[in-house]
Amino acid sequence: MEICAMSVQFPASDLGHIPTCFDRGSSPTTSFFVSCSRPGKSRQETENPKSEFSNRMFIMGMGFVGKFFACDLTNQGWAVSGSCTSLVNKKKLKDMGFDVSLFNAKEPELCKAMLDILSLFLYFAFRPEVLDILNKHTHLVVSIPPIVGIGDPMLQQEELLKSRLMDGNLKWLSYLSSTSVYGNCGGMWVDEDYPVSPTDEKAKSRLAAEEGWLKLGHDLGISTQIFRLGGIYGPGRSAVDTIIKQKPLSEIQRMRASRHYTSRVHVADICQALRASIYKPSPGKIYNIVDDDPAPRTEVFSFAWDLVNQKWPGHLKQTNSLYGTESFSVEESSRGEKQVSNARIKKELGVRLHHPNYKSGLKSIIDPMDNPFLQSHTRS
């Protein structure tokens, strides 16, 4: 068993919905510890070699969602490993107890050495170790974004993937996509059957990746699902955290905040939807993972500001008006407008959202937090 500190905060009021490998330490809010069994060395596998390939998850892209899901599954007896993009992240994940492979299509040194797309294809063709590792797992989550102008890096070698995985142990595959593939729907409610019409190159690349993974899964004869995620938030990555940092919003944040509707989802609900799909596989199915309230970001930021100011009055230098509607450009307000339905995950997967709206999610994040302004003053 490996134990290490992790620099994010997890809500005490919602511990039943956060993976239990995130255990609270001596401090009630600021010292959380991760304890996860190292993949491939579980007691079950040691005592029973035949279980080597039972319940083994590989997460391609162990970022924010991937780490939460990895710990969630580990505490349920799964062996979990995955990939990340840097040696720094690899060490952090190793300290958490995970075997991790490096896989970074955007590596600067790699990009400098490659003068054309063909070179990139050849690079992945000669990185068979990642495919060999995948072949030993029963389940796969793909959480790496496609590269504009190139596409999904793994799918560039589709035939190689197919030949390596054809006789392997893989039986369930999911690709984490985005609700951006629907494009601008004029504020209408959209479900998974609504015609997709991506408007920017990133969204178009997402849609192409969806189609590519569905085709690969079909050819391999394994259950393949697509999950279209709304804006992801959770402990350490939320409007509350943005308010506490007291930094001006980036241009991208300001553009997004000008929309009338924004679909979002707490990371805990992403994890439970993925788990539900594992036990209720539906080949070729597409699922939206969002909450019930596609509220505008201005409303969310305003609520987050009030939460922070009420809990620690007098510490915020910025006023609430910084996050109000008057601070955002109206000309971008129609970009990507849509209200995304989550009816399918409720009906078909039996999902009951832990956080059906942003108020529930943000409260669960801030409630257990120590005073970050006091901590900042102490450090300085």
Side-chain angles (χ1 to χ4, degrees), residues 189-192 226-228 264-265 269-270 272-277 280 285-294 340-358:
W189 279 97
V190 302
D191 60 15
E192 292 85 351
I226 304 296
F227 294 92
R228 293 172 178 165
R264 61 187 55 78
V265 61
D269 286 317
I270 297 175
Q272 71 150 323
L274 292 175
R275 286 198 314 270
S277 173
K280 292 183 179 180
K285 221 46 177 296
I286 296 174
Y287 297 99
N288 295 329
I289 308 185
V290 297
D291 68 17
D292 296 339
D293 184 11
V340 182
S341 169
N342 59 19
R344 179 173 288 178
I345 61 171
K346 294 178 178 179
K347 180 180 179 181
E348 298 184 10
L349 298 181
V351 170
R352 296 181 61 183
L353 296 175
H354 299 313
H355 302 292
N357 55 58
Y358 70 87

Side-chain angles (χ1 to χ4, degrees), residues 222-233:
I222 61 177
S223 179
T224 304
Q225 293 77 203
I226 304 296
F227 294 92
R228 293 172 178 165
L229 312 183
I232 304 165
Y233 76 102

Side-chain angles (χ1 to χ4, degrees), residues 280-324:
K280 292 183 179 180
S282 184
K285 221 46 177 296
I286 296 174
Y287 297 99
N288 295 329
I289 308 185
V290 297
D291 68 17
D292 296 339
D293 184 11
R297 288 183 180 232
T298 52
E299 180 181 318
V300 176
F301 275 111
S302 180
F303 181 78
W305 192 94
D306 287 340
L307 286 178
V308 175
N309 191 53
Q310 289 169 11
K311 186 163 185 175
W312 303 294
H315 287 283
L316 291 177
K317 300 175 183 178
Q318 308 288 1
T319 64
N320 199 356
S321 63
L322 178 66
Y323 304 98

Side-chain angles (χ1 to χ4, degrees), residues 253-274:
Q253 285 177 317
R254 293 172 64 86
M255 289 172 60
R256 289 174 175 173
S258 66
R259 300 176 188 172
H260 292 112
Y261 307 105
T262 299
S263 296
R264 61 187 55 78
V265 61
H266 193 285
V267 64
D269 286 317
I270 297 175
C271 291
Q272 71 150 323
L274 292 175

Side-chain angles (χ1 to χ4, degrees), residues 6 10 18-23 33-37 59 62 65-78 80 93 96-98 271 275:
M6 189 168 184
F10 300 95
I18 295 296
T20 54
C21 66
F22 295 99
D23 297 325
F33 297 87
V34 180
S35 57
C36 302
S37 299
I59 301 176
M62 290 186 69
V65 174
K67 283 186 287 189
F68 267 85
F69 192 45
C71 277
D72 190 16
L73 291 178
T74 298
N75 285 325
Q76 296 182 36
W78 286 63
V80 182
L93 290 165
M96 291 172 64
F98 297 110
C271 291
R275 286 198 314 270

